[in-house]
Amino acid sequence: MDMPTVAIVGRPNVGKSTLFNRLVGKKLALVDDRPGVTRDRREGDVAFGGLVFRVIDTAGLEEADAESLTGRMRMQTEAAILAADVVLFVIDARAGVLPADQPFAEQVRRAGVPVILIANKAEGGAGMAGAYEAFSLGLGDPIPFSAEHGEGVGELHTALMEALPAQDEDEAVEDPTGDRALRVAIVGRPNAGKSTLINTMLGEDRLLVGPEAGITRDSISLDWEWRGRRIKLHDTAGMRRRARIDDKLEKLAVSDGLRAVRFAEVVVMLLDATIPFEKQDLTIVDLVESEGRALVIGLNKWDLVADQPGLLKELREDCTRLLPQVRGVAVVPLSGLAGQGVDKLMQAVIGAAEVWDRRISTSRINDWLSEATSRNPPPAVSGRRIKIRYATQVKSRPPHFALFGNQLDALPKSYTRYLVNALREAFDLPGTPIRLSLRTSQNPFDKG
């Protein structure tokens, strides 16, 4: 059964995106004092106290001509209301009920969807008069709430328990990121061709594109299917160096790109093949690795350099030299504009996700450990040899291994690098971040 859907609606600037971020548990939505920052519907999966559902953050409801941008945003919001199992109708408790709230309360009532009324910005008892005023909307008892400070979360959970369709116990405890759409973020410097590539993948002009850097201001999530596999694509605003960021909204957009990396399972790092591996590209790869995400490198605009013999081999060697922390990462030449290489890119994405999710049995890991340490024994510290006794994989996504032994806190970085590279080679883990935890025995009588 598909996850139930909860739509957050209300007039502009009542705190919908802050509530969305609170529910999803990550700052996925841009939040700013200016109304109208949210332009597209945005979705996120929520695991909330045993409840699992998809939440949709919508643009603020405004009355406007259907042909205008505001009108199109309102139509997206109306579609979200009709598709929802539950609507969270948000008002600003400090401002109270405004005339603009009334027609939209009527619209939500007409849709016949269960409604939970949230009087937001009521932190510390502020705005209680506005919360009581919300009774006049005829949408039931309002919940005094503070999305920013997390007040009223318990009451919201109770209301959602009553309003959402009943869920099987197994389904309720399932991680909403389980066997569902693979989440893929497309990142890179401004103007690397991210939106053009996504439009080619989708076969439609879903995203604004143009020669100006920085057109994509938000991290947009799009549903897609490739060879029967469900994919959720995230196009992100180009990540430029912070020193070059002046506009506050662009600063938010850049950090929104960082959040998309955290939300993704696989990150496609899109390079401009005519100017690859600039310092900023390496910084973004560092971020992807530190967040523990699977990585694929796409060399976009390859049609412009395809006549240079040996260039691909040279760039792959550069990648190995410059990015040792993701050794073996797939490097795929493509052209988003010409539609070339997309299939190979997606094959690499699926392959990277499988490596990222790989689990290895403890017996195989300890056979490997015995061989790796006999081939290259750990060094001695103060005349006493470091001994690694046992290893196991503690989790996947990315592969994370724990090593147990004595004096492991004294193990040199060069030796841990050797172990990571040996793990990568022995168990075929190219390109994925590998985590290593070193656990030293606490037994004072253990003299190894």
Side-chain angles (χ1 to χ4, degrees), residues 225-301:
E225 197 169 284
W226 180 80
R227 294 189 181 179
R229 177 77 185 258
R230 288 178 57 205
I231 308 286
K232 191 175 274 290
L233 285 172
H234 291 266
D235 178 38
T236 58
M239 297 192 226
R240 61 184 79 204
R241 283 208 305 275
R242 291 195 177 274
R244 293 194 182 167
I245 302 169
D246 299 317
D247 177 68
K248 181 188 173 193
L249 198 54
E250 193 181 343
K251 281 184 182 171
L252 284 169
V254 170
S255 46
D256 197 44
L258 306 186
R259 289 178 202 124
V261 168
R262 292 178 183 132
F263 183 71
E265 294 162 299
V266 182
V267 175
V268 174
M269 171 71 196
L270 206 59
L271 304 181
D272 182 333
T274 62
I275 41 169
F277 296 120
E278 289 202 338
K279 186 180 177 187
Q280 193 189 354
D281 297 323
L282 307 182
T283 304
I284 296 172
V285 171
D286 273 341
L287 168 83
V288 174
E289 195 278 336
S290 67
E291 291 296 329
R293 300 298 176 255
L295 177 69
V296 172
I297 291 178
L299 291 170
N300 196 22
K301 309 183 187 179

Coordinates of all heavy atoms in Angstrom, one line a residue, residues 225-301:
E225 N 10.7 7.4 -13.8 CA 10.9 6.0 -13.9 C 11.9 5.6 -15.0 O 11.8 6.2 -16.1 CB 9.6 5.2 -14.2 CG 9.6 3.8 -13.8 CD 8.3 3.1 -13.8 OE1 7.5 3.3 -12.9 OE2 8.0 2.4 -14.8
W226 N 12.9 4.8 -14.6 CA 13.9 4.4 -15.6 C 14.0 2.9 -15.6 O 14.3 2.3 -14.6 CB 15.3 5.0 -15.2 CG 16.4 4.6 -16.2 CD1 16.6 5.1 -17.4 CD2 17.3 3.6 -16.0 NE1 17.7 4.5 -18.0 CE2 18.2 3.6 -17.2 CE3 17.6 2.7 -15.0 CZ2 19.2 2.7 -17.3 CZ3 18.7 1.8 -15.1 CH2 19.5 1.8 -16.3
R227 N 13.6 2.3 -16.8 CA 13.6 0.8 -16.9 C 12.8 0.1 -15.8 O 13.3 -0.8 -15.2 CB 15.0 0.3 -17.0 CG 15.7 0.8 -18.3 CD 17.1 0.1 -18.4 NE 17.8 0.5 -19.6 CZ 19.0 0.0 -20.0 NH1 19.6 -0.9 -19.3 NH2 19.6 0.5 -21.0
G228 N 11.7 0.7 -15.5 CA 10.8 0.1 -14.4 C 11.3 0.4 -13.0 O 10.6 0.0 -12.1
R229 N 12.4 1.1 -12.8 CA 12.8 1.5 -11.5 C 12.4 2.9 -11.2 O 12.6 3.8 -11.9 CB 14.4 1.4 -11.4 CG 15.0 1.8 -10.1 CD 14.8 0.7 -9.1 NE 15.3 1.1 -7.8 CZ 16.5 0.7 -7.3 NH1 17.3 -0.1 -8.0 NH2 16.8 1.1 -6.1
R230 N 11.7 3.1 -10.0 CA 11.2 4.4 -9.6 C 12.4 5.2 -9.1 O 13.2 4.8 -8.3 CB 10.1 4.3 -8.5 CG 8.8 3.8 -9.0 CD 7.8 3.6 -7.9 NE 7.7 4.9 -7.2 CZ 7.3 5.0 -5.9 NH1 7.0 3.9 -5.2 NH2 7.1 6.2 -5.3
I231 N 12.5 6.4 -9.6 CA 13.5 7.4 -9.2 C 12.9 8.7 -8.8 O 12.0 9.2 -9.4 CB 14.5 7.6 -10.5 CG1 15.0 6.4 -11.1 CG2 15.6 8.6 -10.1 CD1 16.0 5.6 -10.4
K232 N 13.4 9.2 -7.7 CA 13.1 10.6 -7.3 C 14.3 11.5 -7.6 O 15.3 11.3 -6.9 CB 12.6 10.6 -5.9 CG 12.0 12.0 -5.5 CD 11.5 11.9 -4.0 CE 10.1 11.4 -3.9 NZ 9.0 12.2 -4.5
L233 N 14.2 12.4 -8.5 CA 15.3 13.2 -8.9 C 15.2 14.5 -8.2 O 14.2 15.1 -8.1 CB 15.2 13.5 -10.4 CG 15.6 12.4 -11.4 CD1 15.3 12.9 -12.8 CD2 17.1 12.1 -11.3
H234 N 16.4 15.0 -7.8 CA 16.5 16.3 -7.1 C 17.4 17.2 -8.0 O 18.6 16.9 -8.1 CB 17.1 16.2 -5.7 CG 16.1 15.6 -4.8 ND1 15.3 16.3 -4.0 CD2 15.9 14.3 -4.5 CE1 14.6 15.4 -3.3 NE2 14.9 14.2 -3.6
D235 N 16.9 18.3 -8.5 CA 17.7 19.3 -9.2 C 18.0 20.3 -8.1 O 17.2 20.7 -7.4 CB 17.0 19.9 -10.3 CG 17.8 21.0 -11.0 OD1 19.0 20.8 -11.1 OD2 17.2 22.0 -11.4
T236 N 19.3 20.7 -8.0 CA 19.7 21.6 -7.0 C 20.2 22.9 -7.6 O 20.8 22.9 -8.7 CB 20.8 21.0 -6.0 OG1 21.9 20.7 -6.8 CG2 20.2 19.8 -5.3
A237 N 20.1 24.0 -6.8 CA 20.7 25.2 -7.2 C 22.2 25.0 -7.3 O 22.8 24.2 -6.5 CB 20.4 26.3 -6.2
G238 N 22.9 25.6 -8.3 CA 24.3 25.4 -8.4 C 25.1 25.9 -7.2 O 24.8 26.9 -6.6
M239 N 26.0 25.1 -6.7 CA 26.7 25.4 -5.5 C 28.0 26.2 -5.8 O 28.9 25.7 -6.4 CB 27.1 24.1 -4.7 CG 25.9 23.4 -4.2 SD 26.3 22.1 -3.1 CE 25.4 20.7 -3.7
R240 N 27.9 27.5 -5.5 CA 29.1 28.3 -5.8 C 29.8 28.7 -4.5 O 29.3 28.5 -3.5 CB 28.7 29.6 -6.6 CG 27.8 30.5 -5.9 CD 27.4 31.7 -6.8 NE 26.3 31.3 -7.7 CZ 26.1 31.9 -8.8 NH1 26.9 32.9 -9.2 NH2 25.2 31.5 -9.6
R241 N 31.0 29.2 -4.7 CA 31.8 29.4 -3.5 C 31.1 30.5 -2.6 O 30.6 31.5 -3.1 CB 33.2 30.0 -3.9 CG 34.2 28.9 -4.3 CD 35.6 29.3 -4.1 NE 36.0 30.5 -4.6 CZ 36.4 30.7 -5.9 NH1 36.4 29.7 -6.7 NH2 36.7 31.9 -6.3
R242 N 31.2 30.3 -1.3 CA 30.4 31.2 -0.4 C 30.8 32.6 -0.5 O 30.0 33.5 -0.3 CB 30.6 30.7 1.0 CG 29.8 29.3 1.3 CD 29.7 29.0 2.7 NE 28.9 27.8 2.9 CZ 27.6 27.7 2.9 NH1 26.9 28.8 2.7 NH2 26.9 26.6 3.0
A243 N 32.1 32.9 -0.8 CA 32.6 34.2 -1.0 C 31.8 35.0 -2.1 O 31.8 36.2 -2.1 CB 34.1 34.2 -1.2
R244 N 31.3 34.2 -3.0 CA 30.6 34.9 -4.1 C 29.1 35.0 -3.9 O 28.4 35.4 -4.8 CB 30.8 34.1 -5.4 CG 32.3 34.1 -5.9 CD 32.4 33.6 -7.3 NE 33.8 33.6 -7.7 CZ 34.3 33.0 -8.7 NH1 33.4 32.3 -9.5 NH2 35.5 33.0 -9.1
I245 N 28.6 34.6 -2.8 CA 27.2 34.6 -2.5 C 26.8 35.9 -1.7 O 27.3 36.0 -0.6 CB 26.8 33.4 -1.7 CG1 27.1 32.1 -2.5 CG2 25.3 33.4 -1.4 CD1 27.0 30.8 -1.7
D246 N 26.1 36.8 -2.3 CA 25.7 38.0 -1.6 C 24.2 38.0 -1.2 O 23.8 38.3 -0.1 CB 25.9 39.2 -2.6 CG 27.4 39.3 -2.9 OD1 28.2 39.1 -2.0 OD2 27.7 39.6 -4.1
D247 N 23.4 37.5 -2.2 CA 21.9 37.6 -2.0 C 21.5 36.5 -0.9 O 21.9 35.4 -1.0 CB 21.2 37.3 -3.3 CG 19.7 37.3 -3.1 OD1 19.1 38.3 -2.8 OD2 19.1 36.2 -3.2
K248 N 20.7 37.0 0.0 CA 20.3 36.1 1.1 C 19.6 34.8 0.6 O 19.8 33.7 1.1 CB 19.4 36.8 2.1 CG 19.0 36.0 3.3 CD 18.0 36.7 4.2 CE 17.4 35.8 5.2 NZ 16.3 36.4 5.9
L249 N 18.7 35.0 -0.4 CA 17.9 33.9 -0.9 C 18.9 32.9 -1.6 O 18.7 31.7 -1.5 CB 16.9 34.4 -1.9 CG 15.7 33.4 -2.1 CD1 15.1 33.0 -0.9 CD2 14.7 34.1 -3.0
E250 N 19.9 33.4 -2.3 CA 20.8 32.5 -2.9 C 21.6 31.7 -1.9 O 21.9 30.5 -2.1 CB 21.8 33.2 -3.9 CG 22.5 32.3 -4.8 CD 23.5 32.9 -5.7 OE1 23.4 34.1 -6.0 OE2 24.3 32.1 -6.3
K251 N 22.0 32.4 -0.8 CA 22.6 31.6 0.3 C 21.7 30.5 0.8 O 22.2 29.4 1.0 CB 22.9 32.6 1.5 CG 24.1 33.5 1.3 CD 24.4 34.3 2.5 CE 25.6 35.2 2.3 NZ 25.8 36.2 3.4
L252 N 20.4 30.8 0.9 CA 19.5 29.7 1.3 C 19.5 28.6 0.3 O 19.5 27.4 0.6 CB 18.1 30.3 1.5 CG 17.8 31.1 2.7 CD1 16.5 31.8 2.6 CD2 17.8 30.2 4.0
A253 N 19.5 29.0 -1.0 CA 19.4 28.0 -2.1 C 20.7 27.1 -2.1 O 20.6 25.9 -2.3 CB 19.3 28.7 -3.4
V254 N 21.8 27.7 -1.8 CA 23.1 26.9 -1.8 C 23.0 25.9 -0.7 O 23.3 24.7 -0.8 CB 24.3 27.8 -1.6 CG1 25.5 27.0 -1.3 CG2 24.5 28.6 -2.9
S255 N 22.5 26.3 0.5 CA 22.4 25.4 1.6 C 21.3 24.4 1.4 O 21.4 23.2 1.8 CB 22.2 26.1 3.0 OG 21.2 27.1 2.9
D256 N 20.3 24.8 0.5 CA 19.3 23.8 0.1 C 19.9 22.7 -0.7 O 19.5 21.6 -0.6 CB 18.2 24.6 -0.7 CG 16.9 23.8 -0.9 OD1 16.5 23.3 0.2 OD2 16.4 23.8 -2.0
G257 N 20.9 23.1 -1.6 CA 21.6 22.0 -2.3 C 22.3 21.1 -1.4 O 22.3 19.9 -1.7
L258 N 22.9 21.6 -0.3 CA 23.6 20.7 0.6 C 22.6 19.8 1.3 O 22.9 18.6 1.5 CB 24.3 21.6 1.7 CG 25.3 22.7 1.2 CD1 26.0 23.3 2.4 CD2 26.3 22.1 0.3
R259 N 21.4 20.3 1.6 CA 20.4 19.5 2.2 C 19.9 18.4 1.2 O 19.6 17.3 1.6 CB 19.2 20.3 2.6 CG 19.5 21.2 3.8 CD 18.3 22.0 4.2 NE 18.8 23.2 5.0 CZ 18.6 24.4 4.7 NH1 17.9 24.7 3.6 NH2 19.1 25.4 5.4
A260 N 19.9 18.7 -0.1 CA 19.5 17.7 -1.1 C 20.5 16.5 -1.1 O 20.1 15.4 -1.2 CB 19.4 18.3 -2.5
V261 N 21.8 16.9 -0.9 CA 22.8 15.8 -0.8 C 22.5 14.9 0.4 O 22.6 13.7 0.3 CB 24.2 16.5 -0.6 CG1 25.3 15.4 -0.2 CG2 24.6 17.2 -1.9
R262 N 22.1 15.5 1.5 CA 21.8 14.7 2.7 C 20.6 13.9 2.5 O 20.5 12.8 3.1 CB 21.7 15.6 3.9 CG 23.0 16.3 4.3 CD 22.8 17.3 5.5 NE 24.1 17.9 5.7 CZ 24.3 19.2 5.9 NH1 23.2 20.1 5.8 NH2 25.5 19.7 6.1
F263 N 19.7 14.4 1.7 CA 18.4 13.6 1.5 C 18.6 12.5 0.5 O 17.8 11.5 0.5 CB 17.4 14.6 1.0 CG 16.0 14.1 0.8 CD1 15.2 13.7 1.9 CD2 15.5 13.9 -0.5 CE1 13.9 13.2 1.7 CE2 14.2 13.3 -0.6 CZ 13.4 13.0 0.5
A264 N 19.6 12.6 -0.4 CA 19.7 11.7 -1.5 C 20.4 10.4 -1.0 O 21.0 10.3 0.0 CB 20.6 12.3 -2.6
E265 N 20.2 9.4 -1.8 CA 21.0 8.1 -1.6 C 22.2 8.1 -2.6 O 23.3 7.7 -2.2 CB 20.0 6.9 -1.9 CG 18.9 6.8 -0.9 CD 17.8 6.0 -1.3 OE1 17.2 6.3 -2.3 OE2 17.5 5.0 -0.6
V266 N 21.9 8.5 -3.8 CA 23.0 8.6 -4.8 C 23.1 10.1 -5.3 O 22.1 10.7 -5.6 CB 22.8 7.7 -6.0 CG1 23.9 7.8 -7.0 CG2 22.6 6.3 -5.6
V267 N 24.3 10.6 -5.3 CA 24.5 11.9 -5.8 C 25.3 11.9 -7.1 O 26.3 11.2 -7.2 CB 25.4 12.8 -4.8 CG1 25.7 14.2 -5.3 CG2 24.6 12.9 -3.5
V268 N 24.7 12.5 -8.1 CA 25.4 12.7 -9.4 C 26.1 14.0 -9.4 O 25.5 15.1 -9.3 CB 24.5 12.6 -10.6 CG1 25.2 12.9 -11.9 CG2 23.8 11.2 -10.7
M269 N 27.4 14.0 -9.4 CA 28.2 15.2 -9.4 C 28.5 15.5 -10.9 O 29.2 14.8 -11.6 CB 29.6 14.9 -8.7 CG 30.6 16.0 -8.8 SD 30.1 17.5 -7.9 CE 31.2 18.7 -8.6
L270 N 27.8 16.6 -11.4 CA 27.9 16.9 -12.8 C 29.0 18.0 -13.0 O 29.0 19.0 -12.4 CB 26.6 17.5 -13.2 CG 26.2 17.4 -14.7 CD1 26.2 15.9 -15.1 CD2 24.9 18.1 -15.0
L271 N 30.0 17.6 -13.8 CA 31.1 18.4 -14.1 C 31.0 18.9 -15.6 O 30.4 18.2 -16.4 CB 32.5 17.7 -14.1 CG 32.8 17.0 -12.8 CD1 34.2 16.3 -12.9 CD2 32.9 18.0 -11.6
D272 N 31.4 20.1 -15.8 CA 31.5 20.7 -17.2 C 32.8 20.1 -17.8 O 33.9 20.4 -17.3 CB 31.5 22.2 -17.1 CG 31.6 22.8 -18.5 OD1 32.0 22.2 -19.5 OD2 31.1 24.0 -18.6
A273 N 32.7 19.2 -18.8 CA 33.8 18.5 -19.3 C 34.9 19.5 -19.9 O 36.0 19.1 -20.1 CB 33.4 17.5 -20.4
T274 N 34.4 20.7 -20.3 CA 35.4 21.7 -20.8 C 36.2 22.3 -19.8 O 37.3 22.8 -20.0 CB 34.6 22.8 -21.6 OG1 33.8 23.5 -20.7 CG2 33.8 22.2 -22.7
I275 N 35.7 22.3 -18.5 CA 36.5 22.9 -17.4 C 36.3 22.0 -16.1 O 35.7 22.4 -15.1 CB 36.2 24.3 -17.1 CG1 34.6 24.6 -17.1 CG2 36.9 25.3 -17.9 CD1 34.2 25.9 -16.6
P276 N 36.8 20.7 -16.2 CA 36.5 19.8 -15.1 C 37.4 20.0 -13.9 O 38.5 20.6 -14.0 CB 36.7 18.4 -15.7 CG 37.8 18.7 -16.7 CD 37.6 20.1 -17.2
F277 N 37.0 19.4 -12.8 CA 37.9 19.3 -11.6 C 38.4 20.7 -11.1 O 39.6 20.8 -10.9 CB 39.0 18.3 -11.7 CG 38.5 16.9 -12.0 CD1 38.8 16.2 -13.1 CD2 37.7 16.3 -11.0 CE1 38.3 14.9 -13.3 CE2 37.2 15.0 -11.2 CZ 37.5 14.3 -12.4
E278 N 37.6 21.7 -11.0 CA 38.0 22.9 -10.4 C 37.9 22.7 -8.9 O 37.3 21.7 -8.4 CB 37.1 24.1 -10.8 CG 37.3 24.5 -12.2 CD 36.8 25.9 -12.5 OE1 36.0 26.4 -11.8 OE2 37.3 26.5 -13.5
K279 N 38.5 23.6 -8.1 CA 38.6 23.4 -6.7 C 37.2 23.2 -6.1 O 37.0 22.4 -5.1 CB 39.3 24.6 -6.0 CG 39.5 24.4 -4.6 CD 40.2 25.6 -3.9 CE 40.3 25.4 -2.4 NZ 40.8 26.6 -1.7
Q280 N 36.2 24.0 -6.6 CA 34.9 23.8 -6.0 C 34.3 22.5 -6.2 O 33.6 21.9 -5.4 CB 34.0 24.9 -6.6 CG 32.7 25.0 -5.8 CD 31.7 25.9 -6.5 OE1 32.1 26.5 -7.6 NE2 30.5 26.0 -6.0
D281 N 34.6 21.8 -7.4 CA 34.1 20.5 -7.6 C 34.6 19.5 -6.6 O 33.9 18.7 -6.0 CB 34.6 20.0 -9.0 CG 34.0 20.8 -10.1 OD1 32.9 21.2 -10.0 OD2 34.8 21.0 -11.1
L282 N 35.9 19.7 -6.2 CA 36.5 18.8 -5.2 C 35.9 19.0 -3.9 O 35.7 18.0 -3.1 CB 38.1 19.0 -5.1 CG 38.8 19.0 -6.5 CD1 40.3 19.2 -6.3 CD2 38.6 17.6 -7.2
T283 N 35.6 20.3 -3.6 CA 34.9 20.6 -2.3 C 33.5 19.9 -2.2 O 33.1 19.4 -1.2 CB 34.7 22.1 -2.1 OG1 36.0 22.7 -2.3 CG2 34.1 22.5 -0.8
I284 N 32.8 19.9 -3.3 CA 31.4 19.3 -3.3 C 31.6 17.8 -3.1 O 30.8 17.2 -2.4 CB 30.7 19.6 -4.6 CG1 30.4 21.2 -4.7 CG2 29.3 18.9 -4.7 CD1 29.8 21.6 -6.0
V285 N 32.6 17.2 -3.8 CA 32.8 15.7 -3.6 C 33.1 15.4 -2.2 O 32.7 14.4 -1.6 CB 33.9 15.2 -4.6 CG1 34.3 13.8 -4.2 CG2 33.4 15.3 -6.0
D286 N 34.0 16.3 -1.5 CA 34.3 16.1 -0.1 C 33.0 16.1 0.7 O 32.8 15.3 1.7 CB 35.2 17.2 0.4 CG 36.7 16.9 0.1 OD1 37.0 15.7 0.0 OD2 37.5 17.8 0.1
L287 N 32.1 17.0 0.4 CA 30.8 17.1 1.1 C 30.0 15.8 1.0 O 29.5 15.2 1.9 CB 30.0 18.3 0.6 CG 28.5 18.3 1.1 CD1 28.5 18.9 2.5 CD2 27.6 19.0 0.2
V288 N 29.9 15.3 -0.3 CA 29.2 14.1 -0.6 C 29.8 12.9 0.2 O 29.1 12.1 0.8 CB 29.2 13.8 -2.1 CG1 28.5 12.4 -2.4 CG2 28.5 14.9 -2.9
E289 N 31.1 12.8 0.2 CA 31.8 11.8 0.9 C 31.5 11.9 2.4 O 31.3 10.9 3.1 CB 33.3 11.8 0.6 CG 34.0 10.5 1.0 CD 34.4 10.4 2.5 OE1 34.5 11.5 3.1 OE2 34.6 9.3 3.0
S290 N 31.7 13.1 3.0 CA 31.5 13.3 4.4 C 30.1 13.0 4.8 O 29.8 12.6 6.0 CB 31.9 14.7 4.9 OG 31.0 15.6 4.3
E291 N 29.1 13.2 3.9 CA 27.7 12.9 4.2 C 27.4 11.4 4.0 O 26.3 10.9 4.3 CB 26.8 13.7 3.4 CG 26.7 15.2 3.7 CD 26.2 15.4 5.1 OE1 25.4 14.7 5.6 OE2 26.6 16.4 5.8
G292 N 28.4 10.6 3.5 CA 28.3 9.2 3.3 C 27.3 8.8 2.2 O 26.6 7.8 2.3
R293 N 27.3 9.6 1.1 CA 26.4 9.2 0.0 C 27.1 8.5 -1.1 O 28.3 8.8 -1.4 CB 25.7 10.5 -0.5 CG 24.9 11.3 0.5 CD 23.7 10.4 1.0 NE 23.0 11.1 2.1 CZ 23.1 10.8 3.4 NH1 23.9 9.8 3.8 NH2 22.4 11.4 4.3
A294 N 26.4 7.7 -1.8 CA 26.9 7.1 -3.1 C 27.2 8.2 -4.1 O 26.4 9.1 -4.2 CB 26.0 6.0 -3.6
L295 N 28.2 8.0 -4.9 CA 28.6 9.1 -5.9 C 28.8 8.5 -7.3 O 29.3 7.4 -7.4 CB 29.9 9.7 -5.4 CG 30.5 10.8 -6.2 CD1 29.6 12.1 -6.2 CD2 31.9 11.2 -5.8
V296 N 28.3 9.3 -8.2 CA 28.7 9.0 -9.6 C 29.1 10.4 -10.2 O 28.5 11.4 -9.9 CB 27.4 8.5 -10.4 CG1 27.7 8.4 -11.9 CG2 27.1 7.1 -9.9
I297 N 30.1 10.4 -11.0 CA 30.6 11.7 -11.7 C 30.1 11.7 -13.1 O 30.4 10.7 -13.9 CB 32.1 11.8 -11.5 CG1 32.4 12.1 -10.1 CG2 32.6 13.0 -12.4 CD1 33.9 12.2 -9.8
G298 N 29.4 12.7 -13.5 CA 29.0 12.9 -14.9 C 29.8 14.0 -15.6 O 29.8 15.1 -15.1
L299 N 30.4 13.6 -16.7 CA 31.1 14.6 -17.4 C 30.2 15.2 -18.5 O 30.1 14.6 -19.6 CB 32.4 14.0 -18.1 CG 33.5 13.6 -17.1 CD1 34.5 12.7 -17.9 CD2 34.2 14.8 -16.5
N300 N 29.5 16.3 -18.2 CA 28.5 16.9 -19.1 C 29.2 17.7 -20.2 O 30.4 18.1 -20.1 CB 27.6 17.7 -18.3 CG 26.3 18.0 -19.1 OD1 25.9 17.3 -20.0 ND2 25.6 19.1 -18.8
K301 N 28.4 18.0 -21.3 CA 28.9 18.7 -22.4 C 30.1 17.9 -23.1 O 31.0 18.6 -23.7 CB 29.4 20.1 -22.0 CG 28.3 20.9 -21.2 CD 28.7 22.3 -20.9 CE 27.7 22.9 -19.9 NZ 28.1 24.3 -19.5

